[in-house]
Every structure is written in structure tokens, then in C-alpha cells.
Amino acid sequence: MRVRVLMLMFALLLAMVGCRAEPSTPGTTLEDAEELLRSLRGVRSAQLVARSTLDGFTRHTPVTVELEITEGFDVVAAPALADYLVRMLWSVGGARPTRLVVSVTSATGDGVDLSAGARARGWTPIVGSPDRPLFAIEHLDVEPARSKLGPWPGPVPAPPTDAIVPLPGPASAQRSRSAKAWMAATMPSVSKEPSALRVK
């Protein structure tokens, strides 16, 4: 009897040590992912939502990102931005997502369609309505999503460079004109006389 008690105590001790030795979950939290997205140049606001619902015995957990572009900026690299946002959603821990939903709007409230960019990166997006051009990635446990995303939660992706850039405006046009005027004033002109090329 005493031996059994000792064995049981030893087994409980091993279980406790095993629980403490488990590595921390990789990826990031919903709040930290939002902060990362809000810190991107050209992003006015970012909201991430993850809600789980039960349909019979099936659990559905869509994870959604809603990104708003800052006034005076535009998306010029849709494939890079679409791929980045999908991978950012996959890096969020908590409940394993069954659907990744990406929605991007401009500062005027118009939808920015990234579905073609998602296709260019090898995704098979489900596209929303024309008046709300969001896209969703489903079937995350089968190919090609499984090999593209890897184990969940995935690593936090590096943000794309120059995916969102400032629009050319009056200030940038004025800078361009000033630069051209400075170059014209400082560079020597070349005489067009056929007899010689003389610097005036």
C-alpha cells in the first residue's frame, strides 16, 4: 500500500514538472497584433476580432482584421500586403482560427480590393461583395494553406516595405519642381555651336 502511495506521488510530481516545462506558445496576442498593425506607416486604424461559435459539435472561429489607410496614402503592393495580413492573423494565439478574413478600406471609406494580390501569392480567397471587397481564407487544415502557413500559431511576419506609400501631392510636386530648378541653375549649359562644345 505504501509503495502504491509513493508511486502515485511520484507520478503527480512528474506531471507537475512536465506542465511547468512546457514551452510558451509562439505567435502573438490579439492586442499586440493590433498595435503592430497600427504602427505601420500609412495605417490609420486596425482592429482584430476573434469570435468562436458552435454549430452543433463544430466550432467556428473566424479571425478578422479591418485595416484603414491613412489619408494621403495608397496601397501599391497588394500581394505583399495581403500575404502579410493573412500571416499576421495566423500568428494570433488563443483559439485556433478556422477562417481568416481581411478587410482594408481607404481614408474615404472605399474598399481596397486585395483579392487579386492574395491570388498572386498563391492563396485561394473567397471574395466578398463588390461594395465590400474583403476576402477570406478557409480550409486552413488542408493544402495549400497547411504548407503555406505551417503550425498554428505561426511566427509574427515581418511587415512589407513600401506596400503603403504616400500619394503625390502639392508638397511633393513643389519639391520636385524646386529640385529641377536647382539642377538647371547649378549645371553648366553646353553650347550647340557645331564648331566646338564650349561650356558657357
Side-chain angles (χ1 to χ4, degrees), residues 7-97:
M7 289 179 65
L8 181 60
M9 292 176 64
F10 183 71
L12 288 173
L13 181 61
L14 284 178
M16 291 173 64
V17 172
C19 290
R20 290 175 184 171
E22 276 189 24
S24 59
T25 303
T28 186
T29 64
L30 209 65
E31 294 76 13
D32 288 345
E34 278 189 349
E35 288 300 318
L36 286 171
L37 292 176
R38 288 172 185 156
S39 67
L40 295 179
R41 185 183 70 155
V43 172
R44 180 178 180 180
S45 66
Q47 183 178 16
L48 273 74
V49 179
R51 292 191 180 97
S52 293
T53 58
L54 274 176
D55 182 9
F57 294 102
T58 305
R59 181 173 293 277
H60 301 281
T61 308
V63 182
T64 302
V65 58
E66 295 182 0
L67 207 69
E68 184 180 353
I69 305 300
T70 304
E71 185 177 1
F73 283 79
D74 191 22
V75 176
V76 295
L81 184 59
D83 191 66
Y84 169 70
L85 293 176
V86 168
R87 295 181 186 277
M88 178 62 79
L89 292 179
W90 186 248
S91 73
V92 174
R96 183 185 177 91

Side-chain angles (χ1 to χ4, degrees), residues 114-129:
L114 298 184
S115 58
R119 290 191 190 92
R121 283 299 179 92
W123 299 104
T124 307
I126 299 172
V127 184
S129 59

Side-chain angles (χ1 to χ4, degrees), residues 95-119:
R96 183 185 177 91
T98 57
R99 192 181 205 214
L100 308 176
V101 185
V102 174
S103 174
V104 178
T105 57
S106 66
T108 59
D110 298 322
V112 179
D113 190 357
L114 298 184
S115 58
R119 290 191 190 92

Side-chain angles (χ1 to χ4, degrees), residues 130-163:
D131 59 331
R132 194 182 177 205
L134 56 81
F135 75 86
I137 306 297
E138 294 186 335
H139 310 297
L140 304 177
D141 56 343
V142 297
E143 299 299 341
R146 173 181 286 182
S147 50
K148 287 178 69 63
L149 291 172
W152 173 83
V156 177
T161 58
D162 298 330

